[in-house]
Amino acid sequence: MEPSDLLDRARAHAKDPADPLETLTAAIALGAELGSGADALLDLAVRQARDAGVSWTAIGERFGFSRRSPRRRFTPAFAHRHLANRRRRLDASCSFCRRPPGPRVRMVHGEAGRICEKCVALATDIVAGLARRT
């Protein structure tokens, strides 16, 4: 079923179909029944409420959490930027210990990854120990 059809179904179950917050409440209840596939319905209901001028605080109260949480969840630009920054930090960190780069962290860069100075020292000790055993 399409999200717009589900939103119409939620609107039909709302106490006041003209009120976007009531529609959002009905969409939350319907989403709990649906389980999977509810995200598209909730995204559409939140977008409609925001287009109608409803504040993030009021939307958060319907979900039962703070003002910042719905904004982070339902704002695609924020979520995309957050994931892109996280991916960039992980890509620049040590491939072995995930230590992030910094002014005092030296990294050796290779084709497939990076290794920090602490991991290089640890690897040197391991190889030296293996060489002593043989």
Side-chain angles (χ1 to χ4, degrees):
M1 198 172 227
E2 290 294 317
S4 57
D5 297 334
L6 290 172
L7 187 62
D8 291 338
R9 189 169 147 196
R11 195 175 288 121
H13 287 88
K15 293 177 185 175
D16 180 11
D19 184 11
L21 279 177
E22 290 298 324
T23 302
L24 178 61
T25 303
I28 292 169
L30 181 61
E33 292 174 18
L34 292 174
S36 64
D39 287 341
L41 166 66
L42 295 177
D43 287 343
L44 189 59
V46 167
R47 193 173 322 119
Q48 182 187 49
R50 287 294 296 160
D51 290 344
V54 177
S55 69
W56 284 113
T57 304
I59 291 170
E61 288 171 357
R62 296 296 168 133
F63 279 98
F65 43 70
S66 72
R67 179 176 66 97
R68 285 184 65 182
S69 296
R71 182 182 305 174
R72 286 183 175 203
R73 178 174 178 199
F74 294 107
T75 305
F78 179 85
H80 175 71
R81 189 171 57 248
H82 176 69
L83 289 176
N85 288 339
R86 185 173 181 202
R87 221 174 279 121
R88 197 174 305 117
R89 280 193 311 266
L90 282 177
D91 288 345
S93 63
C94 176
S95 300
F96 295 91
C97 68
R98 290 294 176 206
R99 187 174 178 200
R104 295 187 181 132
V105 179
R106 293 186 194 97
M107 295 272 189
V108 176
H109 300 268
E111 282 184 37
R114 294 161 181 76
I115 185 167
C116 70
E117 59 188 328
K118 286 188 177 184
C119 289
V120 168
L122 180 63
T124 304
D125 292 343
I126 292 170
V127 170
L130 291 174
R132 275 184 258 140
R133 288 186 190 167
T134 58

